[in-house]
Amino acid sequence: MPFNRPLILLLLMLLLTAAWWRLQPEAASVQRTQLLMGTTVSIEAAGADRAVLERAIAAAFAEMARIEALMSPHRPDSDVSRLTAAAHTATVAPETVEVIALGLDIARRSGGAFDLTLGRLKSLWGIETETPRVPAPAELASALQGTGPGALSVSGDLVTKRSPQLAIDLGAIAKGYAVDRAIATLRAHGVPSAAVNAGGDIGLLGSKLGRPWRIGVQHPRQASSVLVTLEAADRAVVTSGDYERCFERDGRRYHHLFDPQTGYPAGRCQSVTVLASHAVLADALATALFVLGPERGLALLRDYPGVDALIVAADGRLHSTPGLAAVKAGPS
Amino acid sequence: MNFLWRRMTAADRLVVAGLMAAAVAGIAWVAAAPPGRRVVAGDGERVLFVAPLEQPREVELAGPLGPTRLMIDQQGARITASPCALKVCMGMGPARRPGDLLVCLPNRILVQVEGEAEESAPYDLLSR
Amino acid sequence: MICSAADREPLEQTRRRVFLALFTALAVALHTLEALWPAPAPWFRLGLANILSLVALFLYGGQAAWTVSLGRVLLGSLLLGRLFTPGFWLALGGAVVATLVMVVAHRLAPRRLGPIGVSALGAAGHALGQMTVAWLVLVRHPGLWQLFPLLLLVAVVAGMLTGWAAAVLLERLESHEAFRKAG
């Protein structure tokens, strides 16, 4: 059957267009989720090459798993477990040193509101287990003995405990650190835009496709509502609230953010949201502010000019740093 | 092909070319269009189960503690039964939008809705 | 079939009627044959019966085309026992849109569009009509329309082939004096 030349040309052009179109590296947005550090960690990344994004995300998750292995109290060979088991000193990884150093600094500046040494207190309450309980006052006093900013010191790669029974808990601050490490890994792979969400601890790399990331802040009392939406890029956003990880006993609700002075869950705030350059800092400050309450908390933040915060006090009133107004998203 | 070409007027050829171009363009558009939303269930590492969000169904996902029941219906994807102690997963509400998550940590079950994110969502991520 | 030369007008009309009846019968036969043919999917058919609608259109005009098309669908479905089944409505929807498109196209460009062009348009219309009926009556899922571009492509190709058959048939018929136009 003789073929018609114009038709063949048309078909060839169609074929070439289809081939060219298929061969373009797929500009893509990739999202992956894993169960890590006792929560769901979700990483989404956008960029010019899907293969690069997949590799970067896998590397970021691997890095977070490595940090978890270092700082989890549930692993017998982690730095935290070894430190807890040690009588006096232990040698730890540089990452652990970094985290402990930051934690101690915040502990001092917050007058002890942030505390790295509440391991025994947490075990007592069993707040992260399936069988939480309300401890007796005597048990609390015993668990709080020897805690506080002065109970721990770090020098080089050596961490020293003041008393042998001291149990270190890097809890939330480790999650923030892992988020920072994940962001650094993604950045090192050349990813232009990414967001890491580890159970509400958020790290942002770049902006989202030409506009800042929109972060909704959970309303502390209405489960399906958003308190406010914030805009951020290249920043970390961490919220600590009394509604997550809690249990009820005899009509009272107990959550997981303890006041180191009383041993009971802190009651001055419903939730605190902190925006800072790094998630580890935001994490530590969020915990400190939650314990301190709005007035002393905002006073503490005067030492941190690059940090913004929104505090929902126990009575539901909102307090914020002056810079927060600039970060609120306009009506969309 | 010549037997066709001979009997086609100029207008015929134009019409046929136009219709076929439209059809091919349509095929390309359909092939490139984002697929519907999927429900992906796994244990955090492996994928155990994938299904379209649009089709109602019920499925049991096996975890170390036992089976967690997942229901997909008009409201979305929900966990309706699970062997965990605190049943936090069952209160997580229907997952509908791309990125919505359901988790049963004790039973190591993770359910996520995948698909193209809509730009009209009020926020990209939730800090809680 | 040459009768008394005096009654030219009624002669033409009678002739027309008889031939249209013949065309319709042939269309029904082709429709039935196609329905019994094994096909990859129920809708991917050649539409051979449309050849006769085209011939009627080009020989006798729009109304004749409607007669043959609608007659074919009704009688064909009746014969196959498919009257008022979903398949019937699909066929009817397709035929209505196809015939509409063909009649309008032929009226707008009687000289410039030949049978192949008109048939291609009619085939596209047929695909559209069937899709619409399917959407209204059978499957309300928007994913249905994702099939349309492929269906359209197949329809246009089939339309070209049936158009060619119609063109060949028209050539033969128009040379016979039974089909010579009056005046």
Side-chain angles (χ1 to χ4, degrees):
Chain A
M1 212 185 286
F3 271 82
N4 201 286
R5 214 177 297 164
L7 199 65
I8 297 184
L9 250 103
L10 181 69
L11 281 171
L12 268 172
M13 278 179 58
L14 279 172
L15 223 70
L16 281 168
T17 312
W20 172 85
W21 179 65
R22 272 264 153 243
L23 285 170
Q24 293 291 304
E26 283 180 64
S29 173
V30 180
Q31 195 205 27
R32 294 279 173 263
T33 307
Q34 275 191 23
L35 293 172
L36 272 175
M37 297 180 292
T39 186
T40 48
V41 181
S42 191
I43 301 185
E44 74 173 270
D49 191 342
R50 173 175 288 260
V52 166
L53 296 177
E54 298 271 13
R55 272 201 303 272
I57 292 180
F61 275 127
E63 176 67 1
M64 291 180 89
R66 189 180 73 88
I67 300 299
E68 179 179 22
L70 276 177
M71 304 192 191
S72 164
H74 308 296
R75 311 247 182 128
D77 55 351
S78 71
D79 279 356
V80 167
S81 298
R82 289 190 304 111
L83 210 49
T84 300
H88 204 48
T89 63
T91 316
V92 296
E95 290 90 349
T96 314
V97 169
E98 199 181 327
V99 170
I100 292 183
L102 177 76
L104 289 176
D105 183 54
I106 307 244
R108 270 190 292 273
R109 290 192 202 230
S110 65
F114 178 79
D115 198 324
L116 289 176
T117 60
L118 300 178
R120 279 168 65 203
L121 185 69
K122 279 226 175 122
S123 312
L124 205 59
W125 282 88
I127 198 90
E128 287 178 19
T129 67
E130 307 259 319
T131 49
R133 52 183 277 271
V134 182
E139 295 176 291
L140 289 173
S142 160
L144 285 175
Q145 251 181 12
T147 63
L152 209 59
S153 64
V154 66
S155 166
D157 62 353
L158 209 66
V159 178
T160 310
K161 303 196 307 189
R162 196 162 60 185
S163 75
Q165 306 98 327
L166 201 65
I168 314 299
D169 178 73
L170 295 180
I173 194 176
K175 211 164 26 154
Y177 187 74
V179 168
D180 289 331
R181 292 298 314 150
I183 293 283
T185 307
L186 293 166
R187 187 180 282 126
H189 275 76
V191 175
S193 160
V196 177
N197 188 345
D201 288 11
I202 295 174
L204 302 166
L205 176 61
S207 50
K208 181 174 171 84
L209 310 169
R211 60 158 176 84
W213 294 88
R214 283 198 290 259
I215 312 293
V217 175
Q218 172 75 54
H219 192 292
R221 290 293 175 263
Q222 294 165 24
S224 43
S225 289
V226 155
L227 184 67
V228 71
T229 304
L230 305 170
E231 288 185 346
D234 277 320
R235 237 177 161 190
V237 182
V238 172
T239 300
S240 288
D242 63 1
Y243 45 84
E244 25 169 28
R245 287 192 213 233
C246 53
F247 71 100
E248 270 197 37
R249 200 57 39 91
D250 300 324
R252 270 194 70 184
R253 202 166 62 158
Y254 300 91
H255 62 80
H256 73 298
L257 293 151
F258 297 104
D259 186 337
Q261 283 194 327
T262 65
Y264 284 97
R268 298 194 187 93
C269 301
Q270 290 182 12
S271 86
V272 173
T273 302
V274 174
L275 296 97
S277 59
H278 288 81
V280 63
L281 180 65
D283 233 335
L285 285 175
T287 308
L289 293 178
F290 192 95
V291 173
L292 285 173
E295 292 83 17
R296 286 166 64 199
L298 289 176
L300 172 66
L301 285 184
R302 277 193 234 117
D303 289 346
Y304 294 92
V307 172
D308 287 305
L310 174 67
I311 303 176
V312 182
D315 60 3
R317 284 223 298 256
L318 299 178
H319 304 256
S320 55
T321 55
L324 191 80
V327 198
K328 277 198 203 168
S332 55
Chain B
M1 297 288 260
N2 210 20
F3 72 98
L4 273 176
W5 217 248
R6 272 190 299 122
R7 293 175 193 278
M8 288 171 80
T9 67
D12 282 349
R13 293 177 194 159
L14 201 66
V15 160
V16 164
L19 283 173
M20 289 186 82
V24 168
I27 293 177
W29 188 82
V30 165
R37 283 175 276 172
R38 299 193 312 274
V39 175
V40 179
D43 66 355
E45 274 143 47
R46 293 172 309 133
V47 171
L48 296 171
F49 171 80
V50 182
L53 187 62
E54 287 85 20
Q55 255 189 336
R57 70 180 76 213
E58 196 167 354
V59 68
E60 287 206 339
L61 306 162
L65 297 177
T68 294
R69 205 177 317 144
L70 177 72
M71 170 119 84
I72 304 177
D73 60 15
Q74 255 131 356
Q75 296 175 9
R78 291 172 294 136
I79 294 183
T80 50
S82 191
C84 54
L86 297 174
K87 310 271 191 254
V88 175
C89 51
M90 287 169 60
M92 277 181 171
R96 249 189 317 261
R97 290 169 36 207
D100 281 354
L101 282 174
L102 302 169
V103 192
C104 182
L105 277 173
N107 209 19
R108 290 196 74 78
I109 297 286
L110 172 66
V111 180
Q112 193 176 15
V113 175
E114 277 184 17
E116 282 293 314
E118 308 116 36
E119 271 300 310
S120 55
Y123 55 82
D124 303 311
L125 299 135
L126 184 66
S127 182
R128 60 191 312 276
Chain C
M1 237 168 62
I2 302 177
C3 300
S4 133
D7 298 338
R8 193 80 187 155
E9 188 58 33
L11 176 63
E12 286 297 322
Q13 278 192 1
T14 312
R15 211 177 265 166
R16 231 177 87 128
R17 260 186 231 130
V18 170
F19 278 123
L20 283 184
L22 207 61
F23 289 165
T24 310
L26 278 169
V28 170
L30 284 170
H31 175 92
T32 310
L33 185 70
E34 258 195 345
L36 300 174
W37 208 290
W43 302 340
F44 283 25
R45 295 211 182 278
L46 280 177
L48 293 172
N50 213 38
I51 299 175
L52 278 313
S53 305
L54 279 163
V55 169
L57 176 65
F58 276 83
L59 279 181
Y60 296 129
Q63 206 167 30
W66 279 109
T67 308
V68 174
S69 285
L70 292 178
R72 178 253 296 173
V73 171
L74 284 166
L75 286 172
S77 301
L78 198 66
L79 268 174
L80 285 171
R82 298 211 186 130
L83 202 60
F84 300 137
T85 62
F88 164 75
W89 293 111
L90 280 174
L92 187 65
V96 163
V97 178
T99 312
L100 185 66
V101 169
M102 291 197 296
V103 167
V104 166
H106 182 64
R107 187 162 305 175
L108 288 178
R111 300 250 170 264
R112 285 196 287 174
L113 273 180
I116 297 188
V118 171
S119 181
L121 285 168
H126 188 89
L128 183 65
Q130 282 205 320
M131 261 288 159
T132 310
V133 168
W135 189 71
L136 288 172
V137 171
L138 290 175
V139 182
R140 276 280 179 158
H141 201 276
L144 178 72
W145 289 95
Q146 297 194 335
L147 286 173
F148 184 63
L150 190 60
L151 188 66
L152 180 64
L153 192 64
V154 172
V156 169
V157 171
M160 290 208 299
L161 292 172
T162 53
W164 172 79
V168 170
L169 193 58
L170 278 167
E171 241 170 64
R172 298 283 165 83
L173 289 179
E174 273 166 352
S175 63
H176 192 285
E177 62 178 62
F179 292 96
R180 252 181 229 130
K181 300 262 166 63

